[in-house]
Amino acid sequence: MPTTVSYGDHPSQTVHRWEARGTGGAPAPVAVLLHGGWWRDLHDAHLMDPLARDLSDAGWAVWNVEYRRTGADGGGWPHTLDDVGDALDLLADTAAREPGRFDTSRVVAVGHSAGGHLALLNAGAAGESPVTSVVALAPVTDLERSGRAGLGEGAVTPFLGADPSEELYAFSSPVRQVPVGVPLLVVHGDADQRVPVEHSRDYVAAARAAGDAVAYHEVAGADHFAVIDPAHAAWRGVREHLEG
């Protein structure tokens, strides 16, 4: 079972740490999990527990990150993004204090939906992030497009505030913040009912045009949540990618 550590004073500024199993004492690669839920406090990090357990059993040290969310939790832009950055800072500090425990050459941020948005933006923080690659599962990549379409039952407005400026849309949208500068895997089901697959197609095109190394897996018949089901082919493809 995981242990919980704090990276800040707010109750939601926590990480659920899962120990790597079966490594024989060798440094373990690290998976930083970032859950979705359109940044709302209706959802929490336990959405990623099945993936955390799967990765832990496969020899990964897992940091399942909670962050402040919109609603009554005090989240929104930029606090939610900053929380993820602070959790990554704690990871870097912990690795420095515990030499030989983590393989810091393999730190992958695995984000689903809104968590994919946070993973992509934080990994792109030039020289400041310990993340060495990103797996974005049905990510939110274009906040202006998502907001105008009312995706997530209008989730962009409580996250960015009313009437966001063009500059704010640009800073907060991964599609407009490429290149990320680390290898990317984007996975999206073509039957996604929450984030249209066209968003990822366009993101991948933009990232590749900017010079990023991007692998793209589009999964036939998969919906928004298939990509976080350890038993689904979409996740098995992710595991193969991570072990490759």
Side-chain angles (χ1 to χ4, degrees):
M1 294 301 293
T3 58
T4 300
V5 296
S6 297
Y7 59 86
D9 295 331
H10 192 279
S12 291
Q13 292 173 321
T14 57
V15 175
H16 307 298
R17 288 183 57 175
W18 297 66
E19 298 298 325
R21 297 167 61 89
T23 62
V30 184
V32 178
L33 304 188
L34 299 167
H35 71 86
W38 287 105
W39 313 285
R40 287 195 172 103
D41 60 5
L42 294 174
H43 307 280
D44 63 23
H46 292 298
L47 286 171
M48 301 296 266
D49 280 352
L51 299 190
R53 185 174 295 107
D54 183 68
L55 287 164
S56 172
D57 288 345
W60 288 74
V62 179
W63 285 50
N64 189 11
V65 176
E66 191 56 274
Y67 48 81
R68 286 174 291 175
R69 289 143 288 152
T70 60
D73 201 41
W77 184 269
H79 313 301
T80 300
L81 184 71
D82 291 343
D83 281 358
V84 175
D86 289 344
L88 291 171
D89 287 345
L90 176 63
L91 170 59
D93 292 344
T94 302
R97 290 197 310 269
E98 302 176 14
R101 187 167 187 178
F102 304 115
D103 179 359
T104 55
S105 71
R106 297 175 66 196
V107 179
V108 56
V110 181
H112 174 236
S113 193
H117 163 263
L118 298 171
L120 290 167
L121 287 183
N122 268 287
E128 298 178 4
S129 173
V131 170
T132 62
S133 66
V134 173
V135 174
L137 307 170
V140 178
T141 56
D142 188 332
L143 272 67
E144 182 174 14
R145 186 178 184 181
S146 297
R148 295 194 188 287
L151 298 184
E153 293 74 45
V156 172
T157 295
F159 183 66
L160 291 184
D163 194 25
S165 66
E166 175 67 17
E167 182 180 40
L168 181 52
Y169 276 134
F171 280 128
S172 63
S173 296
V175 74
R176 297 169 69 176
Q177 291 293 316
V178 292
V180 176
V182 299
L184 308 176
L185 169 64
V186 179
V187 182
H188 212 127
D190 67 3
D192 194 315
Q193 75 280 34
R194 301 293 289 164
V195 180
V197 68
E198 290 81 8
H199 288 224
S200 277
R201 292 172 183 167
D202 292 344
Y203 176 80
V204 168
R208 286 174 173 166
D212 278 328
V214 188
Y216 178 52
H217 296 174
E218 188 168 304
V219 187
D223 66 13
H224 191 61
F225 297 99
V227 294
I228 57 170
D229 178 357
H232 196 278
W235 179 249
R236 292 199 299 272
V238 173
R239 284 287 307 278
E240 291 172 5
H241 176 88
L242 292 175
E243 302 301 333

